[in-house]
Amino acid sequence: MSQLPDGFFSRSDQERPFRPLEYLDGYLPIEDHGLIGDGATAALVGRDGAISWLCVPRFDKVPIFSSILDRDRGGAFRVEAGVVLGARHRYLADSPILITELKVATGVLRITDLMPLRNEANLANEAAAATGELLRCIEVISGEVTFSVALSIRGGIDAVRDGDNIRIWALRYPEIDLQLEASRPIQGAGGSWTLSKGESVSFCLRWNGGIGASSVDAPVSAVTNTIAGWSTWLQQFSYAGPHHQAVKRSAITIKLLDYVQNGALIAAPTTSLPELIGGERNWDYRYVWIRDASFAVYALRRLGFQEEAWGFLQWVLEQASASKLNVMYTLDGSTAIEEHLDPDLSGYRNSGPVRWGNGAAGQLQHDVFGEILDCAFQWTTHGGVLSKPLWSELRGLVDRAANEWNKPDQGIWEVRSQGRVQTYSAGICQVALNRGARLARRFGFDGDVAHWEATATKIQETILRDSWNEQGQYLAQGLGGDSHIDSAVLGLPIRRVIDAKHPRMVATVRAVAEHLSAGDELLYRYLPEKSPDGLAGGEGAFLLCSYWMIDNLTMQGRIQEAMDRFDQAVSRVNDLGLLPEEIDPGTGRFLGNFPQAFSHLGMISSGFNLGRALAQR
């Protein structure tokens, strides 16, 4: 196989500095990973060249590689080249094709990782674009390098020759059919080579038969097709705000979390990456949260990605027509999500437990009523039509919001303690009532509109009166005013529940910045010692809250303050432009599942709002 043409790589990319590899308790830092994907699943690739996470055939299925959760037993697709003096990685242009380069004493090894797209794949349509493959092209770009490649899967494998290829049977996952193909002879699940500058070897891992011919026979075409697919999709990208390139990479990352086949969007591609090293706050985020709906629709539509926005919205509205509305779903709309602990994996940096499934699926979270109705409202505002059967279901959700807004729930942060009447949940129930009433009046739908409107007004008044903490001068986490402050309240002006310039909201923004500050622009969601959540220990700073603060400052006309915070928040991305769920305030290291849709959606929305405010000013 010939090496990838030099035209794929810019001079500026090749001038990026090599950095030494650093391991923490035997693990690469979370921020030293990149994401590749194809609209069906995604993989994490470390700066050391190891693929440490991959579920097949889709995001929420079994992980064949999970060494990021247990370096010894998790399984990985590794490239070893002896002592690495330095490493660097970058994306190839505006694509999710990842380039990793390892510098050793005798030369430099380049690894190009991608999940190829089908020829002329259209990522904007609800049609499968994936080929069911992982392609790794390994080439020596200077000197001579001896390296080995090894594939391992949790539970062990049987590698059996099948013609020129290797059939791999994962003993723990017999339902997965894997085939490893290579451009040079291999004896088992890998091999060793000594290559000189310009020489290369490619590997193609296919699951369940793949689609069409193997990309190992035509890696240049696979790269070209994949770049073309992403380039065509990005033609829709329209953004006039600050940090243009960072926002574009956020859009690409969100698309990598989009299940193209039906428009569902997962929260993150991983499970159990800890919110605090050594803590128990480890959750499975490979599911679709109803809450993400309005955030995603808002962000993607403003970047010009109408198909993605409406695809996700339609998926959400399909769930609203079910007899029971849940907090989260699998990619195919199932609510059968049971949480269980994995006793055999030690967890990232020994931060167990590792969890599969998510117990929050069975929680009460009253804000889902507002998320659904806001999505429906956005849908009709841009030409969508609500059928009578769908309106019947939506009307039922509005009635539930009217009846349940002042009842306890677990809230947006999905606490594992006894519920309380959450200010944020009550506020988003007001969104359900407001949007429901407006829909009914606009289209002549049936419903108790007068009662809905009166209750919406009552909720606003109650929040401003009953959640006000006079001593602390802030709107508190719960109605009653005796609870501590919570960054979730920053979300209410964004949803037009409370005017951002209302004196009590201005005071709350000031109090959040003071009491929940984690340093610089970072904010905690809440303080567990002040707001018990049923879990031990603390957590890192939650990045979405930083962007909500920026949005509030923008709406208050404090543009320079908002811009300064936006600059700081965007600077938190890793070398590849990716964001986690949380940041360790003490070290700046990434925490939580990665990359996180909420964080990237926050960047997109804040950037758009700032751009609009700057243009108006």
Side-chain angles (χ1 to χ4, degrees):
M1 186 209 91
S2 61
Q3 66 179 19
L4 296 176
D6 288 337
F8 280 133
F9 310 101
S10 69
R11 176 172 294 181
S12 61
D13 284 337
Q14 297 177 49
E15 292 174 351
R16 293 189 181 193
F18 287 95
R19 292 188 291 112
L21 292 173
E22 178 186 11
Y23 292 89
L24 307 171
D25 305 315
Y27 291 81
L28 270 184
I30 295 172
E31 59 268 24
D32 264 8
H33 292 82
L35 185 74
I36 61 174
D38 58 9
T41 189
L44 292 184
V45 185
R47 194 161 57 89
D48 59 357
I51 297 179
S52 58
W53 180 259
L54 172 61
C55 296
V56 297
R58 68 182 201 190
F59 300 106
D60 57 353
K61 295 299 184 182
V62 299
I64 58 171
F65 304 138
S66 56
S67 63
I68 197 168
L69 297 179
D70 192 311
R71 62 181 181 181
D72 298 319
R73 288 170 290 189
F77 198 161
R78 302 183 187 278
V79 178
E80 302 283 355
V83 177
V84 175
L85 303 177
R88 60 189 181 187
H89 57 183
R90 63 191 182 276
Y91 281 117
L92 187 56
D94 292 327
S95 81
I97 300 174
L98 186 61
I99 311 297
T100 306
E101 292 174 348
L102 306 177
K103 184 177 183 180
V104 298
T106 59
V108 175
L109 197 68
R110 174 186 289 158
I111 308 166
T112 302
D113 285 309
L114 65 149
M115 291 185 181
L117 299 182
R118 303 181 191 189
N119 187 27
E120 299 183 352
N122 188 339
L123 290 169
N125 291 341
E126 289 186 4
T131 60
E133 295 179 336
L134 168 66
L135 180 63
R136 313 202 76 184
C137 304
I138 305 173
E139 56 189 297
V140 176
I141 60 173
S142 72
E144 181 180 86
V145 180
T146 297
F147 64 94
S148 62
V149 172
L151 183 153
S152 62
I153 297 175
R154 180 186 181 186
I157 63 173
D158 278 339
V160 180
R161 176 158 297 283
D162 182 8
D164 293 333
N165 308 311
I166 301 296
R167 182 78 62 181
I168 295 176
W169 303 105
L171 303 182
R172 185 182 179 91
Y173 310 116
E175 70 274 22
I176 300 297
D177 177 17
L178 297 170
Q179 184 166 302
L180 181 65
E181 305 175 6
S183 61
R184 292 174 180 260
I186 52 177
Q187 298 303 315
S192 299
W193 295 268
T194 298
L195 302 180
S196 300
K197 179 180 179 180
E199 295 181 323
S200 62
V201 57
S202 294
F203 298 87
C204 181
L205 180 65
R206 314 183 83 199
W207 43 90
N208 297 344
I211 302 295
S214 170
S215 295
V216 78
D217 297 324
V220 174
S221 294
V223 170
T224 301
N225 288 341
T226 303
I227 290 176
W230 284 93
S231 297
T232 299
W233 178 75
L234 279 168
Q235 289 175 6
Q236 305 169 80
F237 181 77
S238 175
Y239 175 74
H243 293 285
H244 184 274
Q245 194 58 39
V247 171
K248 181 185 285 187
R249 178 53 61 181
S250 284
I252 295 169
T253 303
I254 292 297
K255 187 61 179 175
L256 284 170
L257 304 181
D258 173 27
Y259 188 52
V260 173
Q261 193 164 314
N262 64 10
L265 180 71
I266 61 170
T270 57
T271 181
S272 301
L273 293 181
E275 296 174 7
L276 182 72
I277 301 301
E280 65 171 326
R281 299 165 185 267
N282 311 329
W283 315 112
D284 193 344
Y285 276 11
R286 300 170 302 141
Y287 301 107
V288 187
W289 268 255
I290 290 293
R291 181 178 300 114
D292 294 7
S294 292
F295 296 113
V297 171
Y298 179 93
L300 293 173
R301 186 164 56 80
R302 280 156 178 76
L303 292 182
F305 297 112
Q306 303 294 343
E307 294 292 336
E308 280 73 19
W310 305 139
F312 186 38
L313 191 149
Q314 286 177 301
W315 186 91
V316 168
L317 292 182
E318 286 178 7
Q319 314 318 312
S321 64
S323 58
K324 183 179 184 297
L325 181 64
N326 274 54
V327 173
M328 72 182 74
Y329 297 82
T330 64
L331 293 173
D332 52 15
S334 170
T335 59
I337 304 174
E338 296 183 3
E339 181 178 308
H340 64 277
L341 305 185
D342 190 328
D344 298 325
L345 295 182
S346 61
Y348 173 76
R349 293 182 60 187
N350 300 310
S351 295
V354 170
R355 287 184 169 93
W356 305 106
N358 196 311
Q363 288 185 350
L364 282 177
Q365 297 177 22
H366 293 152
D367 63 310
V368 296
F369 306 139
E371 310 298 359
I372 290 281
L373 266 297
D374 197 34
C375 273
F377 184 79
Q378 291 188 59
W379 171 248
T380 60
T381 301
H382 293 82
V385 177
L386 298 179
S387 66
K388 287 186 177 180
L390 179 55
W391 171 250
S392 178
E393 298 287 348
L394 294 173
R395 183 188 62 207
L397 297 180
V398 184
D399 286 333
R400 287 187 63 184
N403 293 328
E404 299 178 30
W405 68 270
N406 56 356
K407 291 182 171 58
D409 74 340
Q410 268 64 48
I412 181 175
W413 306 136
E414 302 180 344
V415 298
R416 298 282 173 123
S417 57
Q418 184 176 359
R420 67 176 304 153
V421 183
Q422 310 271 351
T423 300
Y424 180 84
S425 296
I428 307 305
C429 283
Q430 190 274 348
V431 172
L433 292 157
N434 174 275
R435 307 304 191 264
R438 293 168 71 180
L439 285 169
R441 290 197 181 280
R442 180 190 300 169
F443 297 106
F445 292 143
D446 59 326
D448 194 349
V449 178
H451 175 61
W452 295 346
E453 291 173 334
T455 306
T457 300
K458 180 180 179 180
I459 293 173
Q460 289 175 311
E461 295 170 346
T462 301
I463 288 174
L464 289 169
R465 182 185 66 245
D466 292 354
S467 73
W468 180 250
N469 184 304
E470 181 63 30
Q471 181 179 0
Q473 293 289 293
Y474 54 73
L475 297 171
Q477 182 183 57
L479 297 185
D482 59 342
S483 55
H484 201 252
I485 196 166
D486 185 334
S487 291
V489 179
L490 296 177
L492 299 184
I494 298 170
R495 312 303 286 277
R496 299 183 177 87
V497 177
I498 299 175
D499 190 327
K501 296 182 180 180
H502 190 285
R504 291 197 166 182
M505 196 65 228
V506 173
T508 299
V509 168
R510 187 184 309 119
V512 168
E514 177 184 352
H515 296 299
L516 296 180
S517 173
D520 298 323
E521 87 297 344
L522 296 174
L523 296 172
Y524 293 110
R525 293 188 287 185
Y526 55 91
L527 302 179
E529 64 271 23
K530 302 278 189 180
S531 304
D533 57 10
L535 297 163
E539 62 178 22
F542 200 81
L543 281 173
L544 179 63
C545 298
S546 294
Y547 290 110
W548 279 359
M549 172 63 77
I550 293 163
D551 288 338
N552 276 263
L553 294 173
T554 300
M555 288 185 286
Q556 291 175 6
R558 299 158 65 180
I559 306 303
Q560 189 57 55
E561 291 178 70
M563 191 67 236
D564 291 344
R565 280 183 174 265
F566 190 65
D567 289 342
Q568 289 180 302
V570 173
S571 73
R572 296 288 179 175
V573 300
N574 70 358
D575 292 348
L576 301 169
L578 304 180
L579 288 172
E581 179 184 28
E582 299 184 5
I583 295 282
D584 183 331
T587 64
R589 297 207 178 275
F590 286 8
L591 293 170
N593 285 305
F594 170 81
Q596 177 78 9
F598 251 0
S599 301
H600 286 282
L601 290 169
M603 182 198 292
I604 292 168
S605 296
S606 294
F608 176 86
N609 293 334
L610 263 173
R612 183 171 56 184
L614 290 168
Q616 291 172 348
R617 188 175 68 171

